[in-house]
Amino acid sequence: MLAKKAVSTSSTRKPQCAAADDPFVRAASIQPGPAPKPISPYPEPLFDATEDLASFQDALAYHMRRFGDTYWQLYRAVVHLNETFDHKTLLSCIQGDRVPRSVASFDILRRIERRYRLSEGYFKEKLPHQARSLYGHNLGDVSPAERRRISLHLPDDFSSLPFTKREEILDWVRRVIISGSTEYRR
């Protein structure tokens, strides 16, 4: 008579611990490579700012070098854990493939300016196409066509304003700018 042995299996794999005397076993919590550089909210510059570069990409790269930041360190320092801002967006701005145009990107730029102790709007002044409107404003149930016409006339901090103030701004833009009640428009 053969007795069948009951085998208990689980549906998920569990990490196995090897013998402690095995020289090739690594602890599960230790990552290979150098430890990440600690994040300082206001790092000290490695050298004084002597240049004021004209282009956005050059100015951002210059200040990153000045503070010894890589794009990944800068991303970790300015983007909060609960945000969905993609690190490749920041990388493409540094490489010159894109320029910030969304409300979220401009919020990140403001954080970088605070981190590097630059004047407010420093990077925004260096962007091409200054007349372009930002996208990503919280406009509620406004149609896309009206959103395109209105967004040019909204302040950058529109989404952070109280609801009543946003409604007042939308009403004014619709009444004065869009409907054409000004002397110039008539």
Side-chain angles (χ1 to χ4, degrees), residues 53-71:
L53 301 167
S55 77
F56 168 74
Q57 174 198 2
D58 293 339
L60 182 57
Y62 173 74
H63 286 289
M64 286 174 60
R65 273 194 319 275
R66 191 173 149 234
F67 285 89
D69 278 342
T70 63
Y71 97 91

Side-chain angles (χ1 to χ4, degrees), residues 49-115:
T50 56
E51 299 179 39
D52 187 26
L53 301 167
S55 77
F56 168 74
Q57 174 198 2
D58 293 339
L60 182 57
Y62 173 74
H63 286 289
M64 286 174 60
R65 273 194 319 275
R66 191 173 149 234
F67 285 89
D69 278 342
T70 63
Y71 97 91
W72 184 248
Q73 291 165 339
L74 181 60
Y75 174 81
R76 287 180 48 225
V78 297
V79 177
H80 302 142
L81 291 175
N82 60 348
E83 293 178 320
T84 59
F85 191 82
D86 188 19
H87 67 92
K88 291 182 181 178
T89 303
L90 182 60
L91 180 62
S92 65
C93 288
I94 294 166
Q95 292 173 337
D97 298 334
R98 291 183 181 170
V99 291
R101 286 200 44 227
S102 70
V103 173
S105 295
F106 274 82
D107 186 37
I108 298 297
L109 281 184
R110 278 192 287 280
R111 293 179 201 172
I112 293 172
E113 290 167 350
R114 276 195 306 265
R115 176 178 170 78

Side-chain angles (χ1 to χ4, degrees), residues 7-8 10 12 16 22 48 74 84 98 112 121 136 138 149 151 160 171 181:
V7 179
S8 67
S10 68
T12 59
Q16 300 290 324
D22 188 356
D48 291 333
L74 181 60
T84 59
R98 291 183 181 170
I112 293 172
N138 183 12
R149 290 191 303 269
S151 65
S160 65
D171 180 51
S181 64

